[in-house]
Amino acid sequence: VFKVYWSLLLGNIVEWYEFAVYGHLAVYLEKHFFQGSAVGVWLGFSLTFLARPLGGILLGWVGDRYGRSVAVNISIIGMLVGTCGQGCLPTLDCGIP
């Protein structure tokens, strides 16, 4: 069973690790990105839970229509763009209005 489902297990572990890191860094994110708004931090966190089923619906449709390979590639590219985009975000300390 593990041999068949190891990729699902690994993906789930990485996803929940990301949620845990976001929760751990909430104080830093509040200060440097959300102008001291704890509500903004947790609304941003809640958007990830909304995006999961919507992404599943969209990529499920793409997978049915164009094949699983295309859906997986779109998913990987989307994660890559999102991760790189987060790294390029300026903080409030940069002075950008």
Side-chain angles (χ1 to χ4, degrees):
V1 172
F2 184 74
K3 190 174 184 179
V4 174
Y5 294 111
W6 73 270
S7 60
L8 295 174
L9 178 65
L10 181 63
N12 201 3
I13 289 170
V14 169
E15 183 175 13
W16 285 103
Y17 173 75
E18 179 185 3
F19 291 149
V21 169
Y22 188 94
H24 181 72
L25 294 175
V27 175
Y28 174 82
L29 294 171
E30 179 181 334
K31 180 180 176 188
H32 294 284
F33 290 99
F34 291 97
Q35 300 177 345
S37 171
V39 173
V41 172
W42 294 109
L43 281 175
F45 184 70
S46 66
L47 285 176
T48 61
F49 286 97
L50 178 65
R52 287 173 65 192
L54 295 177
I57 291 168
L58 177 66
L59 290 174
W61 177 81
V62 169
D64 289 343
R65 179 120 175 147
Y66 301 106
R68 286 183 284 181
S69 177
V70 173
V72 169
N73 287 334
I74 290 172
S75 176
I76 290 171
I77 290 169
M79 288 185 283
L80 177 69
V81 168
T83 301
C84 292
Q86 289 173 8
C88 294
L89 285 174
T91 65
L92 293 174
D93 298 334
C94 292
I96 297 173

